[in-house]
Amino acid sequence: MSAIASRNPVPRVTLRSFVLPFALLLLAAACATAPKPPPPPPRDIIVLLPDDQGKTGAIVVSSAGVERRLDQPGQTVTVESGSPPGLPTVMSGQEVQAIAGSALAALPKPPAQFILYFYHDSIDLTTESKVQLRKVFVTIRDRAPVDISVVGHTDTMGKKVYNYALSLQRAMTVAAILREHGVDPSILHITSHGKDNPLVPTGDQVSEPRNRRVEITVR
């Protein structure tokens, strides 16, 4: 038995040959199971911008029981989820464009509005309003609108029924002019308000030139 054992010696295995693979396995396991760092909390940037008329209102941003009032053009606050809003700062126009330029460019243009005036008890446009029509034509040509509203009005002189009919005639007169200049009739929406909804509030039976009008809204 001893002779057989001497011909087939038990192979020697050093500890080092186990240590290195085992260490690599531990490293791989650690890399596979190590938790990823948590993502940063959501963050919102609120910027107050003027409207298409250049006017700026005001908003209040509230989070975690803290309120910040924004009332200046370009004023901004940053809010992280669950945290109070930061102190307001003011962004330059370049900063606003860098952050939201593409989104602002994608916004539809605001409606364009025009007011045409008429002579007393008439469907004839004033001389000044005939000139204003040129701007209406240019706007329609440049915008290719999908909707144009034409709303007739009168002052408070006369009876309500008569004024409703007169303001409707005024609106139809303007709509006919627009059609003559190539506007698709299907996008024209003609309505009449008569002596209701005056531009300049007055009592009844008051002759007010600014209320004898047609309002055009191009969208």
Side-chain angles (χ1 to χ4, degrees), residues 40-70:
R43 186 178 67 165
D44 295 319
I45 300 176
I46 295 93
V47 184
L48 183 64
L49 300 177
D51 62 17
D52 56 292
Q53 303 297 322
K55 298 179 181 179
T56 304
I59 61 172
V60 175
V61 180
S62 178
S63 178
V66 176
E67 294 184 348
R68 304 293 188 196
R69 177 183 170 88
L70 308 182

